[in-house]
Amino acid sequence: MKKSFLFVLLLASGAAQAQSHLDNILSSKTLKVCTTGDYKPYSYLRSDGNYEGLDISMAQSLAASLGAKVEWVPTTWKTLMQDFLAKHCDIALGGVSVTLKRQQTAWFAQPLGVDGKIPLVRCTDKEKYQTVEQLNKPSVRLIEPAGGTNEAFVHSHLPQASLTLFHDNVTIFQQLVDNKADVMITDASEALYQQKRFPQLCALNADKPLQYGEKAYMIPRDDISWKQYVDQWLHLSTATGEYARVAEQWMGVSQ
C-alpha cells in the first residue's frame, strides 16, 4: 500500500512540474501554429508567403489574447500529426476534422460546428452521384488530396471507385472542371465555398452528408490548462459575435 501511495504521489508531482503550453506561450510571447495552408476558406498560403483564412484570423485573435505573436509551422495533411508532435506546435488548425484516430494522440478544443463529407461534382453530372451506391463503382473517377480524412473516407466507404491522389488541394478543383476526374469527396464547407468559385461545380446534399463530421482546433494531449484556456477563448469569441463576423468574412455566411 505504501509503495502504491508513493507511486501516485510521484505521478502527481511529475504532472504538477510539467509546464503547460499556456505558460510557455505567456513566457515566450510566441504561439506555434501548425497549418497546411491549402484549405480555403480556412487556411491558405498566398504567393507572397502570408497566410489568410477563417482559422488564420482566429489564430491571430488567440495570439493577441495572450500578448503573443504567431509562428506559422507549415505541414501537410499526410504529415499533420507527426509535424504537430515533432515541432511542438501549441495548436493545429485550418479546417481540421475531429477523428478518433487523431484523438488517440492529441486533444481537440470544443467543436466549431458540424461539417460532414459530401460529393463535389460537375453540375451536369449531379444526378449520377447522389448516393454511396452510385459513387462506389469502378467507372467513377474520384480525386482526393493525399492524406487526411477525405482519402480515409474514400478507402473506407468507396473502395470500388477509381481513386487518384492529387498533390495540390488548391488546384484540385480544376481537375473536375476539366473532366479529368468526376467526383471529389470533401467537407460540405469546402464544397460550398468552391462551388462559388467554380460555377460549373455543384456541392451535393450539403444538409445530408454521407458521413457526420466536426471541425475543431487540435491541441496537445494531457494539457488541461491549455485546453481550458482555448475553450474559454472560443466560448467568448462565439458569445461576443467575433467568430460569426470572421466566418461571414471568409465564408460569406453567418455561423
Side-chain angles (χ1 to χ4, degrees), residues 120-124 174 177 192-203:
L120 180 65
V121 307
R122 287 180 298 280
C123 295
T124 53
Q174 191 64 43
V177 173
L192 291 169
Y193 178 83
Q194 293 297 339
Q195 78 173 2
K196 295 177 183 177
R197 300 180 65 242
F198 297 94
Q200 308 96 319
L201 302 182
C202 284

Side-chain angles (χ1 to χ4, degrees), residues 34 74-85 87 146-148:
C34 277
T75 186
T76 67
W77 293 112
K78 194 171 184 178
T79 63
L80 174 61
M81 188 58 72
Q82 69 184 61
D83 288 342
F84 179 69
L85 297 174
K87 297 178 181 180

